[in-house]
């Protein structure tokens, strides 16, 4: 773990509303973010997985030749986070099963995008369908856990957990 990550973890524990998400046994929090540099055709996503005093950060580079803009990248970050959540729930039979899993995104239009039925861009429709299928699959496999995707809004400001995802997404594209 690097020094910056250590500082962010200490800051997370020192911030009461953020610390509440870290120590919560009833909720898994996933903070996701996208970073892109169109002139270098570099796109990356990251997720900070938080549950019961465990903080894990994963990132991946998206090898896409299409830049659908920031919202499209944020949707890709949500897909990545839902994959991480699914893997975690399948791999670990948790002694205390959480009641909720919340994917926090800084895509301000997420509610509208997920509810939208007509898209001018097929890429958006494909990724929206992938998110909805993942949510449906999670509900079928783990009916006791309510999974939702929500806009982080004011929770983002000075949130070290989201900052970890942000930094990891930028690092994945070499920034």
């Amino acid at each position: 773990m690097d020094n910056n990550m250590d500082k962010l973890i200490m800051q997370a524990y020192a911030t009461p509303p953020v610390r509440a998400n870290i120590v919560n046994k009833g909720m898994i929090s996933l903070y996701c973010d996208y970073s892109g540099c169109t002139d270098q055709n570099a796109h990356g996503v990251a997720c900070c997985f938080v549950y019961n005093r465990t903080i894990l950060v994963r990132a991946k580079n998206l090898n896409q030749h299409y830049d659908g803009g920031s919202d499209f990248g944020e949707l890709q970050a949500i897909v990545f986070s839902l994959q991480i959540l699914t893997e975690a729930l399948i791999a670990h039979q948790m002694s205390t099963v959480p009641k909720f899993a919340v994917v926090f995104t800084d895509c301000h239009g997420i509610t509208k995008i997920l509810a939208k039925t007509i898209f001018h861009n097929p890429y958006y429709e494909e990724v929206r369908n992938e998110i909805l299928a993942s949510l449906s699959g999670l509900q079928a496999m783990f009916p006791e856990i309510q999974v939702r995707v929500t806009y982080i809004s004011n929770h983002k400001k000075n949130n070290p957990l989201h900052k970890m995802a942000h930094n990891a997404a930028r690092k994945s594209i070499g920034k």
Side-chain angles (χ1 to χ4, degrees), residues 31-36 43-47 57-62 64 72-81 83-84 165-166 168-170 172-173:
Y31 296 85
C32 63
D33 204 19
Y34 159 80
S35 187
H43 307 278
V45 293
C47 175
V57 179
R58 287 181 43 193
K60 77 174 187 178
N61 192 319
L62 300 175
Q64 297 183 359
F72 181 72
E74 296 296 343
L75 293 171
Q76 292 288 348
I78 293 167
V79 168
F80 182 60
S81 296
Q83 290 168 350
I84 290 171
H166 174 80
R170 289 187 57 76
S172 76
I173 65 166

Side-chain angles (χ1 to χ4, degrees), residues 17-18 104-106 151-159 162:
V18 177
F104 291 103
T105 177
D106 58 1
Y151 175 55
I152 196 168
S153 68
N154 293 338
H155 191 55
K156 177 182 173 181
K157 188 173 183 174
N158 299 318
N159 185 315
H162 183 266

Side-chain angles (χ1 to χ4, degrees), residues 30-50:
L30 299 107
Y31 296 85
C32 63
D33 204 19
Y34 159 80
S35 187
C37 185
T38 55
D39 58 332
Q40 296 177 0
N41 198 28
H43 307 278
V45 293
C47 175
C48 178
F49 176 95
V50 180

Side-chain angles (χ1 to χ4, degrees), residues 75-144:
L75 293 171
Q76 292 288 348
I78 293 167
V79 168
F80 182 60
S81 296
L82 291 171
Q83 290 168 350
I84 290 171
L85 175 61
T86 303
E87 291 168 10
L89 292 172
I90 290 171
H92 304 288
Q93 297 300 323
M94 300 173 183
S95 59
T96 305
V97 178
K99 294 180 181 173
F100 303 97
V102 180
V103 177
F104 291 103
T105 177
D106 58 1
C107 177
H108 62 84
I110 188 60
T111 304
K112 288 180 183 178
I113 292 170
L114 293 180
K116 202 171 185 179
T117 57
I118 298 173
F119 292 87
H120 296 295
N121 186 323
Y123 291 108
Y124 278 80
E125 185 173 5
E126 288 174 25
V127 75
R128 188 275 323 253
N129 290 344
E130 189 173 352
I131 291 168
L132 294 177
S134 292
L135 291 170
S136 179
L138 281 163
Q139 183 64 49
M141 288 189 294
F142 306 98
E144 68 279 9

